[in-house]
Amino acid sequence: FPVYGVIYGDSNGGKTTFGELASKLMCGKRIDPAKSDDFTATAIAERKLANEGLPINVEDLAKSQYTNNFEKIIKDDLWGIKEGYVNYPSVSISTNKVPSLTSDISKRVVSCHINALIGKTEGVKLKKKVSDNIKKATNALYCEYVSRMYPLVVEMGEKMKSGDNDYFPDAFELSSNVLRELF
């Protein structure tokens, strides 16, 4: 299942605010983002172990840092399997400039291109309102989502381990169905 998400687009598109909102909705509090320099195979592995399932958000990833490290990080499909790690976190990456996602990477990440630009005047005017609303947000929806989704993912994983070559799970469809039921 994809563990990495890449949110990319021009400056002032709302990527940072989205990361703040997502961590609040998932964890009930804001999770401090990792810096661009933390995007190395060693640093990400250490954070995965330390975070025990809490999301890792790499904020404003520099193009050079991405280019130098993405293959060692994103293409490491077997990380933690041999050790039996099951609660490792998802990693979201926000960046203004990223080279095009090649097919070997795009099949391993969920990507989202932000094609919006929030004007500086509007951004300043709305920042307090948005921040206040993020502070009020809870993680109740996410908790209910996980309580319904987790057993389904475990079942999906067991079917995959059974070696049934005709079984092609779609975690996104499953997730979408759970969300529809919730709403």
Side-chain angles (χ1 to χ4, degrees):
F1 302 119
V3 176
Y4 294 91
V6 178
I7 304 167
Y8 63 102
D10 293 332
S11 295
N12 297 326
K15 297 181 297 294
T16 299
T17 302
F18 177 77
E20 291 173 6
L21 176 62
S23 70
K24 182 73 190 289
L25 292 175
M26 289 178 71
C27 305
K29 66 179 189 173
R30 182 181 181 276
I31 305 294
D32 289 332
K35 295 177 178 62
S36 184
D37 292 343
D38 294 325
F39 192 74
T40 66
T42 303
I44 291 294
E46 288 171 0
R47 282 183 177 258
K48 282 182 180 179
L49 290 173
N51 282 27
E52 291 262 355
L54 292 174
I56 298 170
N57 181 21
V58 180
E59 184 71 31
D60 289 330
L61 182 62
K63 182 178 179 180
S64 60
Q65 199 69 1
Y66 174 84
T67 303
N68 293 336
N69 296 290
F70 78 95
E71 284 194 15
K72 292 176 275 191
I73 296 171
I74 295 173
K75 290 178 85 172
D76 188 3
D77 295 327
L78 301 178
W79 187 93
I81 291 177
K82 159 174 79 169
E83 298 86 352
Y85 300 142
V86 294
N87 290 326
Y88 57 89
S90 59
V91 179
S92 70
I93 300 161
S94 71
T95 182
N96 293 342
K97 306 271 189 214
V98 67
S100 63
L101 297 175
T102 57
S103 62
D104 60 330
I105 297 301
S106 66
K107 70 182 179 185
R108 290 176 169 89
V109 303
V110 175
S111 64
C112 179
H113 179 248
I114 304 297
N115 192 18
L117 179 65
I118 301 167
K120 291 188 188 234
T121 306
E122 294 86 358
V124 170
K125 214 190 293 188
L126 295 174
K127 179 66 176 162
K128 180 169 178 18
K129 184 182 259 187
V130 170
S131 294
D132 289 346
N133 284 325
I134 289 174
K135 285 178 188 170
K136 293 177 191 175
T138 71
N139 65 344
L141 174 64
Y142 184 72
C143 289
E144 184 60 27
Y145 167 81
V146 170
S147 74
R148 294 183 188 198
M149 188 70 182
Y150 186 76
L152 300 173
V153 170
V154 169
E155 180 182 326
M156 189 183 293
E158 291 303 319
K159 285 182 182 177
M160 290 168 65
K161 287 179 192 174
S162 74
D164 181 359
N165 291 334
D166 294 327
Y167 178 67
F168 298 102
D170 186 340
F172 297 112
E173 181 180 15
L174 186 64
S175 177
S176 177
N177 291 339
V178 167
L179 286 170
R180 258 191 262 126
E181 288 172 11
L182 280 169
F183 289 119

